[in-house]
Each structure stands twice: as structure tokens, then as C-alpha cells.
Amino acid sequence: MQIDDITISKAITESFMKSFIDAMEVDVAIAGAGPSGMTAAYYLAKMGVKTAIFERNLRVGGGMPGGGMMFNRIVVQDEGKNILDEFEVQTTEYQKGYHIADSLETVSTICSKAIKAGAKIFNLIGVEDVLIREDDRIAGLVLNWSAASLAKLHVDPLSIRSKMVIDATGHESDICRIVERKIGAVLQTKTGGVMGEKSMWAEVGEKMLIENTKEVYPGLMVAGMAANAVFGSPRMGAIFGGMLLSGKKAADIAAQIVSKATAS
Ligand code: 48F
């Protein structure tokens, strides 16, 4: 076979554009392909919910590949291990209730499972705004190439529509901050705004994370570290069980909301 450079270019461009256009109308749009966003995408796609993630970085995984202080291991507790077992990620028990996994195996496996379940992940595309429609409900995301914002180029964005948005942007809780900036103190927090994460306390942080994973504004949910940042709960470092459980809970809630929206 003779290899034609132009055929390679056409194959990539056509295939990508088809997928990108298809992602312009989704059930759930997720900002951020860290562990919580990709876990949510996996469970949503498994339930048959049309899901796309937009990740501004070149690579997926957020804070997970770096493990703890660049030692590429993560720790999960028993509940988190159940999810890693489902993903078929290898773990070893360090002490009763503390399981260790390779952070690279974990990230690559969750990413692969999410895509194989049917979720679409777009890297190098950042979320720079939200779509706001009747009743101020969040109705989608406004996207731009990361390269454009990094180069500070004045390039107008494109938009996608979704029935639900999940802010899984980690410590920055970027999407909730955008909503606060554009609509005001309307989030379901004590202050109505993003309260900001508190200092490290894994025990409390992990528990609060599950509680904080919920809808914070019509059409907008928080998952992962964004949930603790929004509700003013502690950070927790390189224990990741909560991120996985938060992603799963976010998927369950989002799927319910989407199914109600579709029925009405
Ligand atoms: O930070 P990140 O890994 O969030 P997470 O899923 O997990 C948190 C842990 O990694 C760790 C921790 C464990 O105890 O505390 O920090 O909650 O992943 C967030 C992803 O969102 C992307 C960012 O590049 C990262 O990959 N992101 C952030 N802002 C945007 C974004 C944005 N505006 N648009 C698109 N992606």
C-alpha cells in the first residue's frame, strides 16, 4: 500500500469534525477530564446517557498522574477500591483499608473505560463560559481551543447544548466561578458563591465530598474537588476514593435529571 499524506489529513479532520458536531447536542457536558469527570462520564455512558467531556489540557487525568508529590501512586479506601475493581485496576493493600494503585494505570484505564462505554472526550478544548437560557438555567457550554487562550488570541468561541453540565474542573471550580461572575451569588451554598476549599484534612474532606456532590444551580452540578471548593470543605491530597465515588454519584444524579427533562 502507498501511504498518502492527504488521506491521513482527511481521515483525521473528517472523523474529528463528525464527532465534534455530534457532541454539540448532548445530555450531559462535563468540564474537566480529571478522575471525577472521567468516572462520571463512564457511568453516564454506561447508562446510555449521551456524554461529552471537554478538557483544556493536552492530556487527561488532572491531578491523578502526579500521585502524591510526583510519586505516581494513589491511595484509595475500601469504597474507592470497589470502583477500581470494577475498572479492573490493580491494587495492593498497604494496611487494612488503605489500597495503593499506580496512578498512570488508573488514569489510562478510567479514560479507556469511559470512551469504550461511549463517552466522548475532547482534549485541548477549554470551557470559557456557559449558555444561559430561560429562567437563567444553564443550558450548555461555550468552548474555545486552549491554544487560542494560551496565546491570548482574540478568537470567538463555539457553543454546545446540554441538558446538564457537570463542573469537574478540580480545585479551580471554574464553571461555578463563571456562573457566580456572570449571574451573581446564586449557587446553593451558604454564601451563594464559591466558598473556596479549606486546608488539608483527608478524613473530613473525603466524607464531605460525597455530600457536596449535587446540583448547585439549575442545570449545573459539581463533582470531585470542585464540589469541596464550592462548598468550602477541606482538600485531601493523594487519596482518590472520594473522587471516584463523587464521579459515580454525579452520574446517578445527572442521569435522573436528564431522564426527567427528557420525559417532560
Ligand atoms: O484537578 P482534577 O484532577 O479534578 P478532580 O477530578 O480530582 C482532583 C484530584 O486530582 C486531586 C485531589 C485528590 O484528592 O484533590 O486534585 O476533582 O481535574 C480537573 C481537570 O479539569 C480541567 C483541568 O485541566 C483538569 O484536567 N479544567 C480546569 N478548568 C477547565 C478544565 C476549563 N475551564 N475547561 C476545561 N477543562
Side-chain angles (χ1 to χ4, degrees):
M1 177 189 121
Q2 268 205 331
I3 295 176
D4 176 39
D5 299 274
I6 309 310
T7 305
I8 296 169
S9 303
K10 281 183 178 171
I12 288 171
T13 309
E14 273 181 35
S15 165
F16 181 85
M17 284 309 161
K18 200 165 161 240
S19 180
F20 188 48
I21 289 169
D22 185 55
M24 286 178 181
E25 306 258 4
V26 289
D27 292 323
V28 180
I30 302 176
S36 64
M38 290 198 296
T39 303
Y42 165 75
Y43 284 108
L44 282 163
K46 221 176 103 179
M47 288 184 267
V49 179
K50 190 176 176 188
T51 305
I53 306 186
F54 299 94
E55 164 56 56
R56 73 171 170 208
N57 223 319
L58 172 59
R59 59 157 182 80
V60 298
M64 193 180 252
M69 213 182 80
M70 295 195 191
F71 305 157
N72 64 3
R73 298 288 181 276
I74 58 162
V75 169
V76 296
Q77 56 280 60
D78 291 335
E79 300 86 340
K81 179 184 178 292
N82 292 337
I83 295 188
L84 291 188
D85 287 346
E86 187 180 339
F87 286 145
E88 296 176 70
V89 170
Q90 309 169 81
T91 55
T92 50
E93 194 167 43
Y94 178 68
Q95 259 181 37
K96 194 170 165 24
Y98 294 79
H99 308 272
I100 310 169
D102 181 304
S103 66
L104 299 179
E105 183 193 350
T106 310
V107 165
S108 52
T109 305
I110 300 176
C111 178
S112 164
K113 293 268 178 189
I115 292 173
K116 283 184 177 147
K120 296 285 184 296
I121 303 182
F122 297 91
N123 57 336
L124 290 166
I125 297 181
V127 178
E128 65 168 51
D129 202 351
V130 291
L131 286 191
I132 299 171
R133 287 296 175 268
E134 292 76 18
D135 307 326
D136 278 351
R137 188 185 166 83
I138 306 300
L141 295 175
V142 178
L143 309 172
N144 217 330
W145 294 115
S146 306
S149 40
L150 279 171
K152 298 193 173 20
L153 300 176
H154 184 167
V155 177
D156 273 324
L158 294 174
S159 307
I160 62 123
R161 193 184 349 259
S162 67
K163 295 181 184 131
M164 200 67 206
V165 164
I166 300 178
D167 182 347
T169 61
H171 300 260
E172 299 165 62
S173 53
D174 238 20
I175 314 309
C176 290
R177 287 187 191 278
I178 291 169
V179 169
E180 185 183 7
R181 210 165 53 237
K182 303 243 165 162
I183 318 182
V186 291
L187 304 176
Q188 301 291 319
T189 61
K190 274 190 202 136
T191 59
V194 175
M195 296 173 69
E197 73 183 30
K198 298 288 178 289
S199 288
M200 184 95 95
W201 189 357
E203 167 72 14
V204 176
E206 286 284 282
K207 283 197 183 113
M208 293 309 297
L209 181 53
I210 310 307
E211 203 177 313
N212 294 338
T213 301
K214 54 185 156 190
E215 193 171 24
V216 281
Y217 185 76
L220 175 65
M221 289 193 59
V222 277
M225 200 54 220
N228 275 13
V230 165
F231 284 98
S233 298
R235 62 184 303 199
M236 66 292 274
I239 182 156
F240 278 80
M243 297 302 146
L244 308 175
L245 295 163
S246 168
K248 188 172 195 290
K249 183 179 173 191
D252 288 338
I253 298 173
Q256 275 173 28
I257 297 173
V258 164
S259 114
K260 271 190 205 148
T262 313
S264 61

